[in-house]
């Protein structure tokens, strides 16, 4: 191995040196590589840097194979005053760039020369191109400010859309236009979606918060007469809104139940049937959940679950997929199904991303949990699990959504609703062809949830070992689990916690793996003083801990449990547990099992780390 290692670098074994490490003695060598001219190094690496830039969407142009966000027209490559020359797809780099096709100064040719990196922005700006995206965003916001002042409205500044138009323009110009007030009776989200996704227009509100018929487009050409551009914007938007009006009116001629019947023709995931099959499973899970969370609203949860996917078959959602849930809400209101059902249909998709809002009603939470757990259990039963780089069905997002919903639930609404119960509900409605995968799917899914829960709790400032210690005992009711973590983290701050942890680890280690004697323990067999003292302390702790656990005062329970440490240590010092006398041995093991019962539902103390390494 040493010969091969040295030969790889053209050296002999005599050139190798040794170094002592915590893992043993290692051979190493030092290789020095001489420097090179920066310009020459750049010439060799820049082509690869350009072609390796990742884009969510890329394109080819001409007969070439290179993919990029847009066709590359020119490559400017200059180091100081030195021109760096190379080629990508036959296009040679140099010091020439292109200015704006229309906005450049008359005295500046469309093709410009960059004489140094320091002058790049200034030269391009004179040629009509603002190359710094931060400056373009400031120009967009400045245009918004001016329009707000002039028209006495408030622009809805969608940050995602601001970024989009920033990179669609070279020198952004704000243009205000209007559409017919007759369209203001359409749902607000529908108007925003039509403007944003099709035309990249910004919506606005009046000073009282009502929706305005004024929109703002961000153009790329600062024309002398912007009214021409404005009229073009208004004409195109009017056609889009007319289409939206037609779809909206046509959809409302039918009921959500009519649309729900069409879901049987839409495939969900191979092996899991159609969207109609998914909806039936969601409804079963939602009913079970509602019976635990809000039994008086079970019928409402059933109705909302049966219709939660119905709008997927509507013309409006077919045209604007972003409006799924929202259009279901509007159509439910139109039918008079009630605000509770309408809200649940809309909010069952929440949360859609990290930091998104959570469902605001109990019925909406039930349907949201049912929808997400149905996806997770179905996919895991099929063997579909997220990998390091792929998660095509957004399973991580669904799991985190469930965790956040359960953590945010009020104690009363969450009482009795455990994550394990929710998983079992999802597994219980699996298609017959997947029933055989139930146990494996349950194990894999609970492990998957454990990882997500750990990340969520650590994100709230709880150390990894505390989370591991609590999760090792199970994670039924998540708010309780979080409270246990908080209590254990607080206890860990005390000086006695490390010794207490060592004591409880010893107790658990001795009991673990020992055959449990059905007779439990017999007080009459406690012959030694340290045994009786431990037993008396145990009875006192059990008496005091039970009401604390019932009140979910985990900090108080841990403090009370810690009081038994003195007697446990004395017990280990005074008697031998694993004696030859079987009755005596089993009795002492039974006593220790009673001790572990004090903390077995709170934490596995063997997971706690006090000194790294």
């Amino acid at each position: 191995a040493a010969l091969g290692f040295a030969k790889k670098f053209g050296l002999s074994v005599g050139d190798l040196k040794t170094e002592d490490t915590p893992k043993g003695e290692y051979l190493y060598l030092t290789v020095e590589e001489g420097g090179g001219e920066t310009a020459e190094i750049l010439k060799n690496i820049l082509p690869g840097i350009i072609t390796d830039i990742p884009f969510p969407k890329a394109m080819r142009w001409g007969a070439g194979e290179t993919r990029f966000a847009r066709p590359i027209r020119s490559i400017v490559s200059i180091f100081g005053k030195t021109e760096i020359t190379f080629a990508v797809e036959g296009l040679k780099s140099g010091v020439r760039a292109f200015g704006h096709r229309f906005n450049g100064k008359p005295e500046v040719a469309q093709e410009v020369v960059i004489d140094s990196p320091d002058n790049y922005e200034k030269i391009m700006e004179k040629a009509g191109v603002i190359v710094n995206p931060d400056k373009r965003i400031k120009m967009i916001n400045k245009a918004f400010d001016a329009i707000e002042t002039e028209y006495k409205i408030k622009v809805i500044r969608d940050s995602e859309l601001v970024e989009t138009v920033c990179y669609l323009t070279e020198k952004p110009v704000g243009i205000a236009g209007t559409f017919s007030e007759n369209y203001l009776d359409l749902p607000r989200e529908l108007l925003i979606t039509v403007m944003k996704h099709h035309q990249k227009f910004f919506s606005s509100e009046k000073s009282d918060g009502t929706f305005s018929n004024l929109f703002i487009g961000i153009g790329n050409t600062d024309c002398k007469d912007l009214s021409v551009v404005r009229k073009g914007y208004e004409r195109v938007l009017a056609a889009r809104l007319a289409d939206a009006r037609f779809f909206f009116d046509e959809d409302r001629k039918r009921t959500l139940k009519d649309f729900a019947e069409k879901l049987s023709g839409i495939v969900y995931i191979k092996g899991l049937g159609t969207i109609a099959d998914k909806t039936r499973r969601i409804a079963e899970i939602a009913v079970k959940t509602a019976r635990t969370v809000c039994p008086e609203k079970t019928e409402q949860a059933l109705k909302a679950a049966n219709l939660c996917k119905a709008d997927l078959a509507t013309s409006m959602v077919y045209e604007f997929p972003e409006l799924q849930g929202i259009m279901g809400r509007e159509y439910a209101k139109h039918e008079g199904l009630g605000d509770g059902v309408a809200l649940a249909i809309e909010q069952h998709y929440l949360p859609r991303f990290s930091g998104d809002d959570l469902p605001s009603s109990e019925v909406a939470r039930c349907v949201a949990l049912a929808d997400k757990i149905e996806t997770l259990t179905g996919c895991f039963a099929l063997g579909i699990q997220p990998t390091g780089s792929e998660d095509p069905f957004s399973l991580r997002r669904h799991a985190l959504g469930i965790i956040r919903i359960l953590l945010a639930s009020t104690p009363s609404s969450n009482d009795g609703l455990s994550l394990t119960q929710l998983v079992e509900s999802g597994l219980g409605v699996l298609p017959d062809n997947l029933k055989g995968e139930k146990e494996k799917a349950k194990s894999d899914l609970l492990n998957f949830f454990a990882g997500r829960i750990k990340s969520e709790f650590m994100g709230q400032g709880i150390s990894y070992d505390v989370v591991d210690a609590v999760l090792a005992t199970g994670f039924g009711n998540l708010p309780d689990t979080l409270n246990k973590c908080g209590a254990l983290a607080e206890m860990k701050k005390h000086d006695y916690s490390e010794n207490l942890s060592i004591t409880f680890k010893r107790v658990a280690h001795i009991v673990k793996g020992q055959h449990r004697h059905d007779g439990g323990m017999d007080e009459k067999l406690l012959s030694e003083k340290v045994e009786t003292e431990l037993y008396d302390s145990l009875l006192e702790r059990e008496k005091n801990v039970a009401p604390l656990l019932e009140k979910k005062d985990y900090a108080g329970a841990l403090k009370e449990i810690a009081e038994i440490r003195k007697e446990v240590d004395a017990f280990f010092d005074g008697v031998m547990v694993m004696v030859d006398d079987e009755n005596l041995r089993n009795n002492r093991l039974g006593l220790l099992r009673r001790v572990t019962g004090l903390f077995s539902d709170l934490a596995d103390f063997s997971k706690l780390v006090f000194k790294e390494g």
Side-chain angles (χ1 to χ4, degrees):
L3 286 169
F5 177 56
K7 186 178 179 181
K8 179 180 177 182
F9 294 94
L11 301 173
S12 66
V13 174
D15 296 315
L16 300 181
K17 300 176 182 178
T18 59
E19 180 180 359
D20 290 325
T21 74
K23 293 185 178 180
E25 195 175 55
Y26 273 70
L27 289 172
Y28 77 97
L29 58 82
T30 302
V31 178
E32 293 185 7
E33 291 186 4
E37 291 293 330
T38 302
E40 193 63 28
I41 294 173
L42 289 173
K43 179 179 179 178
N44 294 326
I45 67 172
L46 285 176
I49 291 176
I50 293 172
T51 55
D52 288 345
I53 296 175
F55 296 101
K57 293 182 180 180
M59 61 185 294
R60 293 195 299 263
W61 60 97
E65 292 298 319
T66 297
R67 290 178 174 271
F68 211 74
R70 288 289 185 271
I72 302 175
R73 299 180 65 205
S74 65
I75 303 172
V76 175
S77 182
I78 185 171
F79 174 65
K81 296 290 185 179
T82 304
E83 182 178 2
I84 310 297
T85 57
F86 57 87
V88 174
E89 281 292 333
L91 184 65
K92 293 183 179 180
S93 66
V95 294
R96 296 182 180 276
F98 289 93
H100 197 290
R101 288 178 295 170
F102 306 113
N103 282 352
K105 300 289 183 182
E107 66 273 15
V108 179
Q110 186 180 355
E111 190 176 80
V112 296
V113 175
I114 309 300
D115 57 8
S116 78
D118 293 337
N119 294 332
Y120 175 56
E121 284 193 47
K122 183 172 62 176
I123 293 171
M124 292 302 295
E125 185 169 350
K126 189 175 181 182
V129 177
I130 308 299
V131 297
N132 188 325
D134 292 335
K135 287 185 178 180
R136 295 200 299 274
I137 288 177
K138 287 181 180 178
M139 292 175 69
I140 292 169
N141 284 316
K142 188 175 180 180
F144 288 158
D145 294 340
I147 290 171
E148 286 178 337
T149 301
E150 181 178 355
Y151 294 95
K152 303 297 186 291
I153 52 90
K154 179 183 178 182
V155 179
I156 300 175
R157 305 192 187 199
D158 185 320
S159 58
E160 181 185 21
L161 185 54
V162 167
E163 183 177 14
T164 297
V165 297
C166 167
Y167 288 104
L168 286 176
T169 57
E170 296 171 304
K171 189 174 183 180
V173 179
I175 303 166
T178 59
F179 58 87
S180 173
E181 292 186 351
N182 294 332
Y183 291 114
L184 289 176
D185 63 337
L186 291 173
R188 176 190 181 101
E189 296 91 343
L190 173 56
L191 293 171
I192 292 174
T193 300
V194 171
M195 286 187 266
K196 174 180 177 178
H197 288 277
H198 280 308
Q199 304 306 135
K200 305 297 185 286
F201 292 162
F202 293 83
S203 308
S204 67
E205 297 174 330
K206 297 178 182 177
S207 57
D208 60 1
T210 58
F211 206 74
S212 167
N213 69 324
L214 185 140
F215 68 90
I216 301 89
I218 302 297
N220 192 39
T221 304
D222 191 5
C223 303
K224 291 182 179 179
D225 185 4
L226 288 176
S227 64
V228 177
V229 181
R230 180 184 300 110
K231 289 177 182 177
Y233 283 177
E234 291 175 343
R235 184 173 64 253
V236 176
L237 181 58
R240 291 291 189 184
L241 292 174
D243 288 343
R245 164 71 75 189
F246 173 78
F247 293 139
F248 187 64
D249 290 343
E250 287 298 304
D251 282 344
R252 292 194 298 173
K253 292 177 181 178
R254 309 168 81 174
T255 66
L256 283 176
K257 186 176 180 181
D258 294 333
F259 289 116
E261 292 173 356
K262 288 187 170 186
L263 297 177
S264 58
I266 304 176
V267 176
Y268 172 36
I269 298 173
K270 186 178 180 180
L272 293 174
T274 65
I275 299 294
D277 296 323
K278 175 182 175 67
T279 302
R280 282 191 288 271
R281 293 192 290 268
I282 291 173
E284 287 188 52
I285 300 169
V287 166
K288 290 180 183 179
T289 305
R291 286 172 180 163
T292 300
V293 173
C294 50
E296 74 284 358
K297 297 178 181 177
T298 300
E299 285 299 318
Q300 195 176 90
L302 175 61
K303 185 180 293 185
N306 280 328
L307 299 175
C308 69
K309 302 295 182 183
D311 66 354
L312 296 179
T314 64
S315 298
M316 186 63 76
V317 173
Y318 181 83
E319 182 72 12
F320 303 105
E322 305 85 3
L323 292 174
Q324 58 185 350
I326 294 171
M327 299 317 303
R329 176 200 70 195
E330 291 299 317
Y331 297 152
K333 286 182 177 181
H334 176 71
E335 287 183 45
L337 296 178
D339 290 340
V341 171
L343 186 67
I345 291 173
E346 176 194 11
Q347 293 189 349
H348 86 279
Y349 288 105
L350 300 180
R352 293 157 297 189
F353 51 84
S354 178
D356 193 16
D357 294 334
L358 299 177
S360 60
S361 72
E362 290 176 324
V363 173
R365 284 195 290 272
C366 290
V367 182
L369 289 170
D371 179 33
K372 291 169 176 56
I373 201 64
E374 189 280 335
T375 301
L376 284 161
T377 51
C379 286
F380 270 71
L382 284 172
I384 301 172
Q385 298 185 26
T387 64
S389 60
E390 294 184 359
D391 186 9
F393 296 101
S394 301
L395 301 184
R396 292 188 185 92
R397 175 170 59 82
H398 286 310
L400 185 58
I402 289 173
I403 292 168
R404 289 188 59 211
I405 291 172
L406 291 177
L407 285 175
S409 301
T410 59
S412 60
S413 67
N414 195 37
D415 190 31
L417 179 61
S418 71
L419 179 56
T420 305
Q421 176 186 343
L422 192 63
V423 169
E424 289 175 348
S425 295
L427 294 169
V429 299
L430 285 174
D432 292 338
N433 60 307
L434 296 176
K435 293 287 186 182
E437 305 297 327
K438 182 176 178 180
E439 289 305 315
K440 184 178 185 307
K442 179 179 179 180
S443 175
D444 290 345
L445 187 51
L446 289 177
N447 287 333
F448 178 67
F449 267 114
R452 298 296 100 198
I453 293 169
K454 183 176 179 178
S455 297
E456 180 70 12
F457 286 7
M458 287 176 63
Q460 297 187 32
I462 300 173
S463 64
Y464 74 94
D465 60 318
V466 169
V467 179
D468 286 340
V470 174
L471 292 185
T473 65
F475 44 88
N477 184 298
L478 287 192
D480 273 358
T481 304
L482 182 58
N483 289 339
K484 290 176 184 177
C485 287
L488 186 60
E490 188 61 32
M491 189 208 80
K492 194 181 170 187
K493 296 177 182 178
H494 294 283
D495 294 337
Y496 64 79
S497 62
E498 182 172 3
N499 289 331
L500 179 67
S501 173
I502 294 170
T503 297
F504 284 169
K505 285 179 186 178
R506 189 176 180 187
V507 172
H509 178 71
I510 291 178
V511 171
K512 184 179 180 181
Q514 296 296 323
H515 177 68
R516 183 164 187 147
H517 181 58
D518 293 337
M521 65 153 289
D522 185 352
E523 184 180 354
K524 296 176 182 178
L525 294 178
L526 301 176
S527 57
E528 302 292 336
K529 181 181 178 183
V530 290
E531 290 182 288
T532 56
E533 287 178 347
L534 175 58
Y535 182 62
D536 291 341
S537 179
L538 173 64
L539 294 177
E540 182 70 17
R541 303 289 82 75
E542 289 177 337
K543 175 184 174 183
N544 295 339
V545 167
L548 293 172
L549 292 178
E550 189 174 346
K551 294 188 297 183
K552 304 188 188 304
D553 180 3
Y554 300 119
L558 285 170
K559 184 177 180 181
E560 182 67 32
I561 292 170
E563 296 294 325
I564 202 172
R565 180 196 150 208
K566 177 182 175 183
E567 288 77 16
V568 174
D569 288 341
F571 174 82
F572 282 130
D573 291 339
V575 300
M576 174 80 70
V577 177
M578 307 305 290
V579 293
D580 294 334
D581 186 324
E582 183 177 359
N583 290 332
L584 189 57
R585 181 173 70 248
N586 288 334
N587 202 60
R588 288 173 178 172
L589 287 171
L591 177 59
L592 291 179
R593 285 195 185 93
R594 286 274 294 272
V595 173
T596 62
L598 287 172
F599 58 82
S600 60
D601 290 336
L602 291 173
D604 178 355
F605 284 85
S606 69
K607 303 287 186 183
L608 293 180
V609 176
F610 291 89
K611 294 176 182 177
E612 290 292 348

